[in-house]
Amino acid sequence: MKKLVAVLLVGLMLLLLFINMFDGSLEFNKMDLADVDGNYYAKNPIVSNMVTSVVVDYRSFDTLGEVTVLFVSSLGVAFMLGGLTTRIKFKHDDSFFLRIGVKVLFPIIVIVGVFMFVHGHLTPGGGFPGGALIGGAMLFKYISDSKYRAKISAFKVLEGTMGSIYVLLGIVGILVGNYFLQNILDIGELGNLISGGLIPIIYVLIGLKVGSELTGIFDHFMNEEV
Amino acid sequence: MSLQLGLQIALGVIMVVIAIIAVEAKKIISSVIYLSLLSLLAVVGFVLMSAPDVAVTEAVIGSGIVTFLFVFTLIGVNKQTAIKEDSINDLDVHTISPLEGGDIK
Amino acid sequence: MHIVGIVLMLIGVYGLITNRHIIKMIVSINVLEIGLNIFIIAVGYGENTIAPILTKSNINATNFADPLPQALVLTAIVIGVGTTAILLAVARKLYQQYGTYDLTEMEGK
C-alpha cells in the first residue's frame, strides 16, 4: 500500500515535469547562467582554472563556511563515536603482500594528492580532492595493518592551525585592502605555477585541512565497542 | 555531436536502472555497492558535461570514501551483534558477516 | 541530462518513502544527492561548451561551460560526505541502543 502511494506520488511529479517541459514553460537549456555578464570569468581571468577562481577568490567566504561545515561534521562524528576505543578486528590475518604494496603505494598517493592541491589553479583538481586523496592514503595504512593508529592529536593540531591561518588571511585582507578575504597579493602572469596571489596558498591550506579532517573521521569509524 | 548525445542518453538509462536497483535491493551490502557504481557512472556524466573538476572530486570522494564509510558501518555493527548475542539470547540476530553473503536485520 | 538528474532525485524520494531500514534510507539520500549534482551541472552546460580551463589554444574562446554551478557542486560533494558520515554515526549509535537497523522493529521495543 505504501509502495503504491509512493509510486503514484513520484509518477505524478514526473508527469507534471514532462508536461511542463513539452509545453515550453521549463526550458533548462536556455537558462545560461554564464550570460549574466557574457562569459565574465573568461574575460577577466584570475587563474587559468575558472572553477578555482570562483571557489577560492570570488566566493572564498562560501568556501570558508563549507570548510567549517566539514569541521563541525567531524566534531559530530567524534561526539557520537568518541567512546569507542578499540580497533575493529578483521576476520583474516594481515596480508604480507597488502602491507608491502601499501608501503610502496602510500608515498605515491600522497605525492599525487600534494600535486593536485599545489596545481589546483592550473589543472583540474584542487584542495578538496587532493585532501581526500591524502585521507585515502591514510585509510590504506589502516586497512593493511590491523595495529596501525595514526597520530590523531597531530592531525587535530594541523587542522586547527590551517583553519586559523585561513581566517587570519581574511582579516589581513580587511586590514590591508578593503574587504574580508581580499586577494591582496600580486596576481602575476596567467598560467605560471606561482600566480594568482592568495589562491594557491589557500588551496594548500584547504587540502591539508580536508585531509586531516577525513583522517579523523576514518579513525573514529575504524573503532568498535569492546 | 550526435555521438556525445547518444552516449549521454545511454549513460542516463544505465544510471536510472542502477539507481532503482540500489534503492530496491534486498541485501544491504549490494545496495551500497550499487551506490558506488552509480557514483562512478556520475563521474562519466560529469566528464561528458565538461566539468573535469567535479569529476575528479566525485571519483575520489563519491565512489571511494563514502563506500568505505558504509562498509565499515556494516562491519563494526556485525561485531557488536556477535557480542550482544552472548548476553541477550532472545535477540535472534545473524552472525554471518554481510561481506560473506549474510545480511543484517 | 537534466531529465536524468530529476529522475534520480525522484528515485531517491521514492526510496526515502518506502524503505524502513536506516542504511537504505541513507543510500536513498545519497542517490538524491547525486541526482541533484547532475542537475545543477547540466544547468550550466550547453551544447558544444568546453571545460572552463584557459589554455593557450582556447584563450579567445567564448563557449566555456559556466564555472559557477561547477564550483557550487564541488563544495556540495564535500559537504555530502560530511553529512553521510554524521548520519552513519547516528545510525551506529541507534544500533547500540536498539540492536536493530529497522525502524519498525525499533518502534516495537
Side-chain angles (χ1 to χ4, degrees):
Chain A
M1 183 60 205
K2 200 166 65 183
K3 265 193 180 174
L4 187 70
V5 172
V7 168
L8 282 179
L9 191 67
V10 170
L12 187 69
M13 285 159 82
L14 205 61
L15 188 72
L16 283 177
L17 181 89
F18 275 109
I19 290 171
N20 279 329
M21 200 172 265
F22 286 119
D23 76 358
S25 51
L26 275 181
E27 284 184 326
F28 299 117
N29 281 319
K30 305 288 190 297
M31 200 158 62
D32 190 4
L33 294 183
D35 271 352
V36 172
D37 203 357
N39 270 321
Y40 176 82
Y41 302 110
K43 280 178 195 155
N44 305 294
I46 297 177
V47 290
S48 43
N49 190 345
M50 285 183 243
V51 179
T52 301
S53 68
V54 175
V55 169
V56 194
D57 194 284
Y58 290 104
R59 290 175 178 262
S60 194
F61 191 63
D62 290 10
T63 308
L64 181 59
E66 189 271 334
V67 170
T68 313
V69 168
L70 197 61
F71 172 66
V72 170
S73 94
S74 103
L75 270 186
V77 170
F79 175 69
M80 294 279 174
L81 303 178
L84 318 177
T85 46
T86 44
R87 278 280 313 269
I88 284 181
K89 287 189 188 63
F90 303 126
K91 286 196 170 154
H92 51 82
D93 293 335
D94 285 352
S95 163
F96 172 76
F97 295 105
L98 187 63
R99 206 168 61 242
I100 299 300
V102 167
K103 256 183 197 167
V104 174
L105 276 178
F106 179 77
I108 299 175
I109 298 176
V110 170
I111 285 171
V112 171
V114 170
F115 175 86
M116 229 177 223
F117 60 67
V118 169
H119 288 247
H121 54 302
L122 302 177
T123 54
F128 297 112
L133 266 180
I134 291 178
M138 297 307 291
L139 178 60
F140 273 147
K141 284 227 157 191
Y142 270 96
I143 289 177
S144 69
D145 188 354
S146 65
K147 293 192 178 61
Y148 181 77
R149 295 300 294 257
K151 286 187 178 165
I152 290 302
S153 53
F155 277 111
K156 285 210 167 86
V157 170
L158 182 68
E159 174 192 342
T161 317
M162 293 304 148
S164 315
I165 293 175
Y166 195 177
V167 176
L168 280 180
L169 281 178
I171 294 174
V172 168
I174 295 181
L175 293 180
V176 179
N178 298 318
Y179 51 89
F180 192 65
L181 281 168
Q182 189 182 2
N183 199 343
I184 46 175
L185 295 183
D186 188 24
I187 285 178
E189 196 182 338
L190 194 70
N192 280 356
L193 179 59
I194 301 176
S195 66
L198 280 181
I199 289 178
I201 302 171
I202 291 180
Y203 243 4
V204 169
L205 297 181
I206 290 175
L208 291 175
K209 188 168 162 59
V210 169
S212 42
E213 265 159 2
L214 286 178
T215 310
I217 291 179
F218 293 157
D219 186 68
H220 284 297
F221 265 83
M222 295 294 285
N223 288 339
E224 64 174 345
E225 211 175 28
V226 182
Chain B
M1 279 296 155
S2 66
L3 174 67
Q4 199 171 6
L5 191 67
L7 266 178
Q8 285 188 6
I9 291 172
L11 186 74
V13 171
I14 298 174
M15 279 178 76
V16 168
V17 170
I18 286 181
I20 292 174
I21 296 175
V23 167
E24 282 290 322
K26 283 276 184 294
K27 278 188 192 169
I28 306 301
I29 187 71
S30 58
S31 182
V32 170
I33 299 301
Y34 276 113
L35 178 68
S36 172
L37 186 55
L38 180 66
S39 234
L40 267 181
L41 290 173
V43 172
V44 183
F46 289 142
V47 172
L48 284 182
M49 288 189 286
S50 58
D53 287 84
V54 184
V56 170
T57 312
E58 177 81 28
V60 174
I61 289 179
S63 57
I65 290 172
V66 170
T67 312
F68 158 78
L69 292 178
F70 273 107
V71 168
F72 272 79
T73 304
L74 294 177
I75 290 181
V77 153
N78 180 53
K79 291 282 185 176
Q80 291 164 21
T81 311
I83 290 160
K84 277 194 177 167
E85 203 185 24
D86 293 337
S87 51
I88 309 168
N89 283 324
D90 58 353
L91 260 178
D92 188 27
V93 282
H94 291 250
T95 48
I96 313 163
S97 162
L99 298 182
E100 292 164 6
D103 206 356
I104 295 176
K105 253 192 180 172
Chain C
M1 294 292 272
H2 313 94
I3 305 173
V4 177
I6 292 169
V7 170
L8 283 184
M9 274 193 267
L10 291 179
I11 291 172
V13 171
Y14 167 78
L16 270 179
I17 296 173
T18 52
N19 283 318
R20 296 288 284 171
H21 194 285
I22 296 181
I23 302 286
K24 291 193 76 174
M25 290 172 85
I26 301 174
V27 167
S28 302
I29 291 177
N30 270 287
V31 171
L32 203 157
E33 191 189 303
I34 290 174
L36 185 63
N37 290 341
I38 287 177
F39 179 73
I40 298 178
I41 290 289
V43 165
Y45 167 77
E47 275 182 34
N48 300 328
T49 54
I50 54 178
I53 294 173
L54 292 168
T55 55
K56 266 182 187 168
S57 57
N58 65 5
I59 190 88
N60 288 320
T62 52
N63 58 341
F64 291 108
D66 193 356
L68 183 60
Q70 300 192 7
L72 296 181
V73 170
L74 191 68
T75 53
I77 290 173
V78 183
I79 290 181
V81 72
T83 53
T84 307
I86 206 161
L87 280 170
L88 287 171
V90 171
R92 277 181 75 165
K93 202 77 183 168
L94 278 175
Y95 192 91
Q96 282 175 20
Q97 197 158 357
Y98 291 97
T100 176
Y101 269 140
D102 206 305
L103 284 178
T104 322
E105 292 176 23
M106 241 179 243
E107 282 162 1
K109 286 192 181 177

